[in-house]
mmCIF file of all heavy atoms in Angstrom:
data_model
loop_
_atom_site.group_PDB
_atom_site.id
_atom_site.type_symbol
_atom_site.label_atom_id
_atom_site.label_comp_id
_atom_site.label_asym_id
_atom_site.label_seq_id
_atom_site.Cartn_x
_atom_site.Cartn_y
_atom_site.Cartn_z
ATOM 1 N N ALA A 9 8.711 81.273 -48.472
ATOM 2 C CA ALA A 9 9.201 82.116 -49.558
ATOM 3 C C ALA A 9 8.900 83.595 -49.288
ATOM 4 O O ALA A 9 9.582 84.468 -49.829
ATOM 5 C CB ALA A 9 8.570 81.685 -50.880
ATOM 6 N N GLN A 10 7.897 83.863 -48.453
ATOM 7 C CA GLN A 10 7.535 85.240 -48.103
ATOM 8 C C GLN A 10 8.008 85.607 -46.692
ATOM 9 O O GLN A 10 7.412 86.449 -46.020
ATOM 10 C CB GLN A 10 6.011 85.399 -48.180
ATOM 11 C CG GLN A 10 5.425 85.043 -49.531
ATOM 12 C CD GLN A 10 3.912 85.095 -49.512
ATOM 13 O OE1 GLN A 10 3.302 86.010 -48.988
ATOM 14 N NE2 GLN A 10 3.291 84.074 -50.078
ATOM 15 N N ARG A 11 9.096 84.978 -46.235
ATOM 16 C CA ARG A 11 9.526 85.138 -44.850
ATOM 17 C C ARG A 11 9.940 86.569 -44.505
ATOM 18 O O ARG A 11 10.041 86.921 -43.329
ATOM 19 C CB ARG A 11 10.674 84.174 -44.543
ATOM 20 C CG ARG A 11 11.896 84.315 -45.429
ATOM 21 C CD ARG A 11 12.837 83.140 -45.215
ATOM 22 N NE ARG A 11 14.009 83.175 -46.083
ATOM 23 C CZ ARG A 11 14.016 82.733 -47.332
ATOM 24 N NH1 ARG A 11 12.907 82.227 -47.856
ATOM 25 N NH2 ARG A 11 15.121 82.777 -48.058
ATOM 26 N N ARG A 12 10.173 87.406 -45.508
ATOM 27 C CA ARG A 12 10.469 88.803 -45.219
ATOM 28 C C ARG A 12 9.282 89.496 -44.559
ATOM 29 O O ARG A 12 9.441 90.520 -43.903
ATOM 30 C CB ARG A 12 10.862 89.543 -46.501
ATOM 31 C CG ARG A 12 12.221 89.153 -47.065
ATOM 32 C CD ARG A 12 12.513 89.880 -48.358
ATOM 33 N NE ARG A 12 11.555 89.514 -49.393
ATOM 34 C CZ ARG A 12 11.525 90.043 -50.604
ATOM 35 N NH1 ARG A 12 12.405 90.977 -50.936
ATOM 36 N NH2 ARG A 12 10.628 89.650 -51.492
ATOM 37 N N HIS A 13 8.094 88.914 -44.754
ATOM 38 C CA HIS A 13 6.875 89.474 -44.161
ATOM 39 C C HIS A 13 6.401 88.598 -43.001
ATOM 40 O O HIS A 13 5.210 88.468 -42.749
ATOM 41 C CB HIS A 13 5.780 89.578 -45.223
ATOM 42 C CG HIS A 13 6.208 90.285 -46.472
ATOM 43 N ND1 HIS A 13 6.428 91.646 -46.532
ATOM 44 C CD2 HIS A 13 6.481 89.805 -47.718
ATOM 45 C CE1 HIS A 13 6.811 91.985 -47.750
ATOM 46 N NE2 HIS A 13 6.845 90.880 -48.489
ATOM 47 N N ALA A 14 7.348 87.985 -42.302
ATOM 48 C CA ALA A 14 7.007 87.021 -41.257
ATOM 49 C C ALA A 14 6.127 87.627 -40.175
ATOM 50 O O ALA A 14 5.229 86.972 -39.647
ATOM 51 C CB ALA A 14 8.284 86.446 -40.641
ATOM 52 N N ARG A 15 6.358 88.892 -39.821
ATOM 53 C CA ARG A 15 5.584 89.510 -38.754
ATOM 54 C C ARG A 15 4.101 89.581 -39.130
ATOM 55 O O ARG A 15 3.225 89.277 -38.324
ATOM 56 C CB ARG A 15 6.124 90.909 -38.447
ATOM 57 C CG ARG A 15 5.478 91.566 -37.231
ATOM 58 C CD ARG A 15 6.098 92.932 -36.977
ATOM 59 N NE ARG A 15 7.511 92.840 -36.688
ATOM 60 C CZ ARG A 15 8.005 92.597 -35.476
ATOM 61 N NH1 ARG A 15 7.188 92.407 -34.445
ATOM 62 N NH2 ARG A 15 9.303 92.538 -35.281
ATOM 63 N N GLU A 16 3.813 89.990 -40.367
ATOM 64 C CA GLU A 16 2.422 90.062 -40.803
ATOM 65 C C GLU A 16 1.811 88.668 -40.968
ATOM 66 O O GLU A 16 0.665 88.422 -40.586
ATOM 67 C CB GLU A 16 2.318 90.825 -42.130
ATOM 68 C CG GLU A 16 2.747 92.284 -42.040
ATOM 69 C CD GLU A 16 4.234 92.483 -42.214
ATOM 70 O OE1 GLU A 16 4.985 91.470 -42.213
ATOM 71 O OE2 GLU A 16 4.670 93.647 -42.343
ATOM 72 N N LEU A 17 2.599 87.728 -41.517
ATOM 73 C CA LEU A 17 2.086 86.386 -41.766
ATOM 74 C C LEU A 17 1.829 85.628 -40.474
ATOM 75 O O LEU A 17 1.004 84.704 -40.457
ATOM 76 C CB LEU A 17 3.075 85.607 -42.634
ATOM 77 C CG LEU A 17 3.218 86.101 -44.077
ATOM 78 C CD1 LEU A 17 4.364 85.387 -44.772
ATOM 79 C CD2 LEU A 17 1.924 85.899 -44.845
ATOM 80 N N ALA A 18 2.503 85.998 -39.398
ATOM 81 C CA ALA A 18 2.275 85.324 -38.123
ATOM 82 C C ALA A 18 0.827 85.466 -37.678
ATOM 83 O O ALA A 18 0.292 84.596 -36.976
ATOM 84 C CB ALA A 18 3.207 85.883 -37.060
ATOM 85 N N GLY A 19 0.171 86.554 -38.109
ATOM 86 C CA GLY A 19 -1.226 86.751 -37.759
ATOM 87 C C GLY A 19 -2.191 86.096 -38.717
ATOM 88 O O GLY A 19 -3.250 85.614 -38.311
ATOM 89 N N THR A 20 -1.844 86.057 -40.007
ATOM 90 C CA THR A 20 -2.759 85.529 -41.018
ATOM 91 C C THR A 20 -2.505 84.063 -41.348
ATOM 92 O O THR A 20 -3.421 83.340 -41.728
ATOM 93 C CB THR A 20 -2.647 86.356 -42.302
ATOM 94 O OG1 THR A 20 -1.292 86.315 -42.783
ATOM 95 C CG2 THR A 20 -3.045 87.810 -42.042
ATOM 96 N N GLN A 21 -1.255 83.606 -41.227
ATOM 97 C CA GLN A 21 -0.893 82.218 -41.518
ATOM 98 C C GLN A 21 0.008 81.682 -40.408
ATOM 99 O O GLN A 21 1.198 81.418 -40.629
ATOM 100 C CB GLN A 21 -0.188 82.110 -42.870
ATOM 101 C CG GLN A 21 -1.001 82.594 -44.055
ATOM 102 C CD GLN A 21 -0.232 82.487 -45.350
ATOM 103 O OE1 GLN A 21 0.508 81.532 -45.587
ATOM 104 N NE2 GLN A 21 -0.378 83.472 -46.210
ATOM 105 N N PRO A 22 -0.516 81.506 -39.203
ATOM 106 C CA PRO A 22 0.326 81.057 -38.095
ATOM 107 C C PRO A 22 0.841 79.635 -38.300
ATOM 108 O O PRO A 22 0.165 78.792 -38.893
ATOM 109 C CB PRO A 22 -0.622 81.127 -36.892
ATOM 110 C CG PRO A 22 -1.992 80.985 -37.479
ATOM 111 C CD PRO A 22 -1.932 81.666 -38.812
ATOM 112 N N VAL A 23 2.044 79.390 -37.836
ATOM 113 C CA VAL A 23 2.643 78.061 -37.912
ATOM 114 C C VAL A 23 2.803 77.515 -36.498
ATOM 115 O O VAL A 23 2.731 78.254 -35.511
ATOM 116 C CB VAL A 23 4.007 78.092 -38.632
ATOM 117 C CG1 VAL A 23 3.837 78.497 -40.079
ATOM 118 C CG2 VAL A 23 4.972 79.028 -37.915
ATOM 119 N N HIS A 24 2.990 76.204 -36.409
ATOM 120 C CA HIS A 24 3.194 75.542 -35.129
ATOM 121 C C HIS A 24 4.455 74.699 -35.199
ATOM 122 O O HIS A 24 4.891 74.288 -36.278
ATOM 123 C CB HIS A 24 1.993 74.663 -34.777
ATOM 124 C CG HIS A 24 0.762 75.447 -34.436
ATOM 125 N ND1 HIS A 24 -0.034 76.021 -35.405
ATOM 126 C CD2 HIS A 24 0.198 75.767 -33.237
ATOM 127 C CE1 HIS A 24 -1.033 76.656 -34.820
ATOM 128 N NE2 HIS A 24 -0.920 76.514 -33.515
ATOM 129 N N LEU A 25 5.020 74.448 -34.031
ATOM 130 C CA LEU A 25 6.226 73.643 -33.922
ATOM 131 C C LEU A 25 5.860 72.331 -33.231
ATOM 132 O O LEU A 25 5.492 72.328 -32.060
ATOM 133 C CB LEU A 25 7.301 74.381 -33.123
ATOM 134 C CG LEU A 25 8.702 73.775 -33.180
ATOM 135 C CD1 LEU A 25 9.323 74.037 -34.556
ATOM 136 C CD2 LEU A 25 9.587 74.361 -32.090
ATOM 137 N N VAL A 26 5.939 71.229 -33.975
ATOM 138 C CA VAL A 26 5.669 69.907 -33.412
ATOM 139 C C VAL A 26 7.001 69.313 -32.968
ATOM 140 O O VAL A 26 7.917 69.172 -33.779
ATOM 141 C CB VAL A 26 4.988 68.991 -34.446
ATOM 142 C CG1 VAL A 26 4.703 67.622 -33.831
ATOM 143 C CG2 VAL A 26 3.694 69.619 -34.951
ATOM 144 N N VAL A 27 7.120 68.965 -31.691
ATOM 145 C CA VAL A 27 8.376 68.467 -31.137
ATOM 146 C C VAL A 27 8.298 66.951 -31.015
ATOM 147 O O VAL A 27 7.411 66.411 -30.344
ATOM 148 C CB VAL A 27 8.671 69.101 -29.768
ATOM 149 C CG1 VAL A 27 10.000 68.579 -29.219
ATOM 150 C CG2 VAL A 27 8.703 70.617 -29.886
ATOM 151 N N PHE A 28 9.217 66.249 -31.665
ATOM 152 C CA PHE A 28 9.223 64.794 -31.714
ATOM 153 C C PHE A 28 10.153 64.163 -30.675
ATOM 154 O O PHE A 28 9.903 63.055 -30.204
ATOM 155 C CB PHE A 28 9.649 64.308 -33.100
ATOM 156 C CG PHE A 28 8.679 64.663 -34.183
ATOM 157 C CD1 PHE A 28 8.814 65.842 -34.898
ATOM 158 C CD2 PHE A 28 7.622 63.820 -34.484
ATOM 159 C CE1 PHE A 28 7.916 66.174 -35.901
ATOM 160 C CE2 PHE A 28 6.723 64.136 -35.483
ATOM 161 C CZ PHE A 28 6.866 65.322 -36.189
ATOM 162 N N ASP A 29 11.256 64.847 -30.360
ATOM 163 C CA ASP A 29 12.269 64.200 -29.535
ATOM 164 C C ASP A 29 13.076 65.267 -28.806
ATOM 165 O O ASP A 29 13.055 66.452 -29.164
ATOM 166 C CB ASP A 29 13.189 63.346 -30.415
ATOM 167 C CG ASP A 29 13.744 62.121 -29.694
ATOM 168 O OD1 ASP A 29 13.818 62.160 -28.446
ATOM 169 O OD2 ASP A 29 14.101 61.145 -30.368
ATOM 170 N N VAL A 30 13.795 64.847 -27.778
ATOM 171 C CA VAL A 30 14.698 65.727 -27.053
ATOM 172 C C VAL A 30 16.074 65.085 -27.034
ATOM 173 O O VAL A 30 16.214 63.881 -26.796
ATOM 174 C CB VAL A 30 14.177 66.001 -25.624
ATOM 175 C CG1 VAL A 30 13.991 64.721 -24.827
ATOM 176 C CG2 VAL A 30 15.113 66.956 -24.874
ATOM 177 N N LEU A 31 17.089 65.888 -27.310
ATOM 178 C CA LEU A 31 18.452 65.385 -27.439
ATOM 179 C C LEU A 31 19.320 65.724 -26.238
ATOM 180 O O LEU A 31 20.277 65.010 -25.935
ATOM 181 C CB LEU A 31 19.107 65.940 -28.709
ATOM 182 C CG LEU A 31 18.696 65.343 -30.049
ATOM 183 C CD1 LEU A 31 17.220 65.536 -30.354
ATOM 184 C CD2 LEU A 31 19.538 65.956 -31.166
ATOM 185 N N GLU A 32 18.978 66.827 -25.554
ATOM 186 C CA GLU A 32 19.817 67.259 -24.447
ATOM 187 C C GLU A 32 19.066 68.274 -23.599
ATOM 188 O O GLU A 32 18.276 69.078 -24.113
ATOM 189 C CB GLU A 32 21.109 67.888 -24.988
ATOM 190 C CG GLU A 32 22.139 68.241 -23.948
ATOM 191 C CD GLU A 32 23.456 68.687 -24.570
ATOM 192 O OE1 GLU A 32 23.803 68.207 -25.659
ATOM 193 O OE2 GLU A 32 24.134 69.530 -23.937
ATOM 194 N N THR A 33 19.287 68.226 -22.282
ATOM 195 C CA THR A 33 18.803 69.268 -21.377
ATOM 196 C C THR A 33 19.904 69.554 -20.360
ATOM 197 O O THR A 33 20.785 68.709 -20.121
ATOM 198 C CB THR A 33 17.521 68.855 -20.623
ATOM 199 O OG1 THR A 33 17.849 67.872 -19.630
ATOM 200 C CG2 THR A 33 16.463 68.315 -21.564
ATOM 201 N N ALA A 34 19.827 70.734 -19.746
ATOM 202 C CA ALA A 34 20.812 71.072 -18.726
ATOM 203 C C ALA A 34 20.684 70.152 -17.516
ATOM 204 O O ALA A 34 21.683 69.802 -16.877
ATOM 205 C CB ALA A 34 20.624 72.532 -18.305
ATOM 206 N N GLN A 35 19.471 69.726 -17.203
ATOM 207 C CA GLN A 35 19.239 68.869 -16.040
ATOM 208 C C GLN A 35 19.671 67.430 -16.286
ATOM 209 O O GLN A 35 20.266 66.782 -15.413
ATOM 210 C CB GLN A 35 17.757 68.915 -15.664
ATOM 211 C CG GLN A 35 17.374 67.984 -14.520
ATOM 212 C CD GLN A 35 15.897 68.063 -14.179
ATOM 213 O OE1 GLN A 35 15.235 69.056 -14.458
ATOM 214 N NE2 GLN A 35 15.373 66.994 -13.575
ATOM 215 N N ASP A 36 19.379 66.905 -17.500
ATOM 216 C CA ASP A 36 19.601 65.480 -17.775
ATOM 217 C C ASP A 36 20.890 65.210 -18.537
ATOM 218 O O ASP A 36 21.305 64.050 -18.648
ATOM 219 C CB ASP A 36 18.422 64.924 -18.572
ATOM 220 C CG ASP A 36 17.103 65.139 -17.873
ATOM 221 O OD1 ASP A 36 16.765 64.348 -16.986
ATOM 222 O OD2 ASP A 36 16.408 66.121 -18.209
ATOM 223 N N GLY A 37 21.498 66.244 -19.094
ATOM 224 C CA GLY A 37 22.696 66.050 -19.891
ATOM 225 C C GLY A 37 22.356 65.533 -21.279
ATOM 226 O O GLY A 37 21.225 65.656 -21.767
ATOM 227 N N ALA A 38 23.336 64.927 -21.934
ATOM 228 C CA ALA A 38 23.148 64.389 -23.280
ATOM 229 C C ALA A 38 22.233 63.173 -23.231
ATOM 230 O O ALA A 38 22.396 62.283 -22.390
ATOM 231 C CB ALA A 38 24.491 64.019 -23.891
ATOM 232 N N LEU A 39 21.252 63.137 -24.143
ATOM 233 C CA LEU A 39 20.242 62.071 -24.143
ATOM 234 C C LEU A 39 20.284 61.212 -25.396
ATOM 235 O O LEU A 39 19.535 60.239 -25.504
ATOM 236 C CB LEU A 39 18.837 62.686 -24.013
ATOM 237 C CG LEU A 39 18.558 63.455 -22.714
ATOM 238 C CD1 LEU A 39 17.289 64.282 -22.858
ATOM 239 C CD2 LEU A 39 18.430 62.483 -21.555
ATOM 240 N N ARG A 40 21.157 61.542 -26.335
ATOM 241 C CA ARG A 40 21.135 60.845 -27.625
ATOM 242 C C ARG A 40 21.350 59.337 -27.488
ATOM 243 O O ARG A 40 20.780 58.564 -28.249
ATOM 244 C CB ARG A 40 22.200 61.435 -28.543
ATOM 245 C CG ARG A 40 21.922 62.861 -29.002
ATOM 246 C CD ARG A 40 23.123 63.421 -29.765
ATOM 247 N NE ARG A 40 22.892 64.756 -30.294
ATOM 248 C CZ ARG A 40 23.043 65.865 -29.577
ATOM 249 N NH1 ARG A 40 23.401 65.775 -28.299
ATOM 250 N NH2 ARG A 40 22.823 67.037 -30.118
ATOM 251 N N ARG A 41 22.158 58.914 -26.548
ATOM 252 C CA ARG A 41 22.460 57.490 -26.404
ATOM 253 C C ARG A 41 21.426 56.748 -25.542
ATOM 254 O O ARG A 41 21.466 55.525 -25.445
ATOM 255 C CB ARG A 41 23.863 57.297 -25.812
ATOM 256 C CG ARG A 41 24.976 57.769 -26.743
ATOM 257 C CD ARG A 41 26.342 57.487 -26.131
ATOM 258 N NE ARG A 41 27.420 57.892 -27.014
ATOM 259 C CZ ARG A 41 27.915 57.141 -27.997
ATOM 260 N NH1 ARG A 41 27.429 55.935 -28.211
ATOM 261 N NH2 ARG A 41 28.908 57.590 -28.748
ATOM 262 N N ARG A 42 20.533 57.489 -24.933
ATOM 263 C CA ARG A 42 19.511 56.845 -24.114
ATOM 264 C C ARG A 42 18.353 56.401 -24.996
ATOM 265 O O ARG A 42 18.154 56.904 -26.106
ATOM 266 C CB ARG A 42 19.026 57.797 -23.030
ATOM 267 C CG ARG A 42 20.153 58.299 -22.137
ATOM 268 C CD ARG A 42 19.624 59.019 -20.931
ATOM 269 N NE ARG A 42 20.635 59.841 -20.288
ATOM 270 C CZ ARG A 42 20.417 60.574 -19.202
ATOM 271 N NH1 ARG A 42 19.213 60.581 -18.633
ATOM 272 N NH2 ARG A 42 21.389 61.308 -18.677
ATOM 273 N N GLY A 43 17.553 55.458 -24.501
ATOM 274 C CA GLY A 43 16.465 54.904 -25.293
ATOM 275 C C GLY A 43 15.330 55.888 -25.519
ATOM 276 O O GLY A 43 15.166 56.865 -24.775
ATOM 277 N N LEU A 44 14.557 55.633 -26.551
ATOM 278 C CA LEU A 44 13.435 56.499 -26.905
ATOM 279 C C LEU A 44 12.461 56.653 -25.743
ATOM 280 O O LEU A 44 11.963 57.748 -25.477
ATOM 281 C CB LEU A 44 12.710 55.926 -28.126
ATOM 282 C CG LEU A 44 11.403 56.622 -28.528
ATOM 283 C CD1 LEU A 44 11.651 58.086 -28.899
ATOM 284 C CD2 LEU A 44 10.736 55.884 -29.680
ATOM 285 N N ARG A 45 12.169 55.557 -25.042
ATOM 286 C CA ARG A 45 11.216 55.628 -23.928
ATOM 287 C C ARG A 45 11.687 56.618 -22.865
ATOM 288 O O ARG A 45 10.898 57.406 -22.335
ATOM 289 C CB ARG A 45 11.015 54.239 -23.320
ATOM 290 C CG ARG A 45 9.980 54.210 -22.204
ATOM 291 C CD ARG A 45 9.847 52.854 -21.578
ATOM 292 N NE ARG A 45 9.152 51.918 -22.471
ATOM 293 C CZ ARG A 45 9.731 50.885 -23.070
ATOM 294 N NH1 ARG A 45 11.025 50.655 -22.882
ATOM 295 N NH2 ARG A 45 9.032 50.079 -23.832
ATOM 296 N N GLU A 46 12.978 56.597 -22.557
ATOM 297 C CA GLU A 46 13.513 57.507 -21.546
ATOM 298 C C GLU A 46 13.504 58.945 -22.055
ATOM 299 O O GLU A 46 13.174 59.885 -21.311
ATOM 300 C CB GLU A 46 14.933 57.087 -21.173
ATOM 301 C CG GLU A 46 15.519 57.884 -20.027
ATOM 302 C CD GLU A 46 16.884 57.383 -19.601
ATOM 303 O OE1 GLU A 46 17.313 56.320 -20.112
ATOM 304 O OE2 GLU A 46 17.514 58.044 -18.755
ATOM 305 N N ARG A 47 13.856 59.147 -23.310
ATOM 306 C CA ARG A 47 13.847 60.502 -23.869
ATOM 307 C C ARG A 47 12.426 61.057 -23.905
ATOM 308 O O ARG A 47 12.197 62.241 -23.646
ATOM 309 C CB ARG A 47 14.443 60.506 -25.290
ATOM 310 C CG ARG A 47 15.890 60.061 -25.367
ATOM 311 C CD ARG A 47 16.546 60.480 -26.678
ATOM 312 N NE ARG A 47 15.785 60.107 -27.853
ATOM 313 C CZ ARG A 47 15.850 58.912 -28.447
ATOM 314 N NH1 ARG A 47 16.641 57.959 -27.944
ATOM 315 N NH2 ARG A 47 15.142 58.652 -29.528
ATOM 316 N N ARG A 48 11.457 60.190 -24.202
ATOM 317 C CA ARG A 48 10.069 60.637 -24.244
ATOM 318 C C ARG A 48 9.600 61.090 -22.864
ATOM 319 O O ARG A 48 8.870 62.084 -22.739
ATOM 320 C CB ARG A 48 9.174 59.507 -24.759
ATOM 321 C CG ARG A 48 7.685 59.849 -24.798
ATOM 322 C CD ARG A 48 7.383 60.895 -25.848
ATOM 323 N NE ARG A 48 5.970 61.228 -25.887
ATOM 324 C CZ ARG A 48 5.373 61.875 -26.873
ATOM 325 N NH1 ARG A 48 6.080 62.283 -27.912
ATOM 326 N NH2 ARG A 48 4.085 62.140 -26.833
ATOM 327 N N ALA A 49 10.010 60.382 -21.814
ATOM 328 C CA ALA A 49 9.630 60.773 -20.454
ATOM 329 C C ALA A 49 10.178 62.163 -20.128
ATOM 330 O O ALA A 49 9.493 62.991 -19.499
ATOM 331 C CB ALA A 49 10.138 59.744 -19.451
ATOM 332 N N VAL A 50 11.418 62.433 -20.551
ATOM 333 C CA VAL A 50 11.999 63.758 -20.337
ATOM 334 C C VAL A 50 11.218 64.805 -21.117
ATOM 335 O O VAL A 50 10.911 65.894 -20.600
ATOM 336 C CB VAL A 50 13.487 63.765 -20.750
ATOM 337 C CG1 VAL A 50 14.057 65.183 -20.712
ATOM 338 C CG2 VAL A 50 14.288 62.833 -19.865
ATOM 339 N N LEU A 51 10.863 64.498 -22.354
ATOM 340 C CA LEU A 51 10.142 65.454 -23.191
ATOM 341 C C LEU A 51 8.764 65.766 -22.605
ATOM 342 O O LEU A 51 8.330 66.931 -22.582
ATOM 343 C CB LEU A 51 10.006 64.882 -24.606
ATOM 344 C CG LEU A 51 9.484 65.816 -25.700
ATOM 345 C CD1 LEU A 51 10.359 67.059 -25.815
ATOM 346 C CD2 LEU A 51 9.413 65.087 -27.037
ATOM 347 N N GLU A 52 8.064 64.753 -22.123
ATOM 348 C CA GLU A 52 6.757 64.986 -21.512
ATOM 349 C C GLU A 52 6.887 65.821 -20.246
ATOM 350 O O GLU A 52 6.009 66.652 -19.953
ATOM 351 C CB GLU A 52 6.077 63.650 -21.227
ATOM 352 C CG GLU A 52 5.656 62.914 -22.496
ATOM 353 C CD GLU A 52 5.017 61.568 -22.208
ATOM 354 O OE1 GLU A 52 5.005 61.144 -21.030
ATOM 355 O OE2 GLU A 52 4.537 60.931 -23.170
ATOM 356 N N ARG A 53 7.970 65.632 -19.522
ATOM 357 C CA ARG A 53 8.200 66.458 -18.333
ATOM 358 C C ARG A 53 8.389 67.922 -18.729
ATOM 359 O O ARG A 53 7.831 68.833 -18.097
ATOM 360 C CB ARG A 53 9.432 65.946 -17.595
ATOM 361 C CG ARG A 53 9.682 66.634 -16.250
ATOM 362 C CD ARG A 53 11.064 66.309 -15.731
ATOM 363 N NE ARG A 53 12.101 67.020 -16.467
ATOM 364 C CZ ARG A 53 13.310 66.528 -16.722
ATOM 365 N NH1 ARG A 53 13.633 65.298 -16.367
ATOM 366 N NH2 ARG A 53 14.196 67.260 -17.377
ATOM 367 N N LEU A 54 9.137 68.173 -19.788
ATOM 368 C CA LEU A 54 9.347 69.541 -20.237
ATOM 369 C C LEU A 54 8.041 70.197 -20.669
ATOM 370 O O LEU A 54 7.830 71.396 -20.449
ATOM 371 C CB LEU A 54 10.341 69.564 -21.410
ATOM 372 C CG LEU A 54 11.782 69.154 -21.114
ATOM 373 C CD1 LEU A 54 12.579 69.062 -22.413
ATOM 374 C CD2 LEU A 54 12.441 70.146 -20.157
ATOM 375 N N PHE A 55 7.153 69.422 -21.276
ATOM 376 C CA PHE A 55 5.922 69.998 -21.821
ATOM 377 C C PHE A 55 4.845 70.223 -20.757
ATOM 378 O O PHE A 55 3.799 70.781 -21.073
ATOM 379 C CB PHE A 55 5.391 69.129 -22.962
ATOM 380 C CG PHE A 55 5.825 69.599 -24.320
ATOM 381 C CD1 PHE A 55 7.098 69.331 -24.784
ATOM 382 C CD2 PHE A 55 4.970 70.351 -25.112
ATOM 383 C CE1 PHE A 55 7.517 69.787 -26.019
ATOM 384 C CE2 PHE A 55 5.370 70.814 -26.349
ATOM 385 C CZ PHE A 55 6.646 70.526 -26.811
ATOM 386 N N ARG A 56 5.080 69.818 -19.538
ATOM 387 C CA ARG A 56 4.110 70.105 -18.477
ATOM 388 C C ARG A 56 3.970 71.605 -18.233
ATOM 389 O O ARG A 56 2.934 72.064 -17.752
ATOM 390 C CB ARG A 56 4.518 69.393 -17.188
ATOM 391 C CG ARG A 56 4.379 67.888 -17.240
ATOM 392 C CD ARG A 56 4.695 67.252 -15.895
ATOM 393 N NE ARG A 56 4.858 65.804 -16.028
ATOM 394 C CZ ARG A 56 5.853 65.112 -15.499
ATOM 395 N NH1 ARG A 56 6.771 65.731 -14.765
ATOM 396 N NH2 ARG A 56 5.932 63.805 -15.657
#
């Protein structure tokens, strides 16, 4: 609600982005139809 002050709040109230899944990459192409186990392997590779 106070996003107009996002620059100041980034220092006092930092947020984090939790990534659950990956849908597409330039290297692997579209991943939506592939199984969760395979998508997770791609996601872990990206997070290295």
Side-chain angles (χ1 to χ4, degrees):
Q10 303 175 45
R11 58 191 177 277
R12 289 178 297 177
H13 308 288
R15 187 178 298 275
E16 296 86 350
L17 292 172
T20 59
Q21 300 179 39
V23 295
H24 290 78
L25 192 73
V26 181
V27 181
F28 294 91
D29 211 336
V30 58
L31 284 62
E32 187 173 329
T33 72
Q35 176 180 337
D36 304 278
L39 297 166
R40 292 173 177 83
R41 294 183 178 275
R42 303 191 197 180
L44 173 61
R45 183 183 287 111
E46 186 176 353
R47 298 197 309 275
R48 178 68 180 196
V50 172
L51 190 57
E52 291 178 354
R53 186 193 74 214
L54 293 173
F55 265 78
R56 290 185 193 133

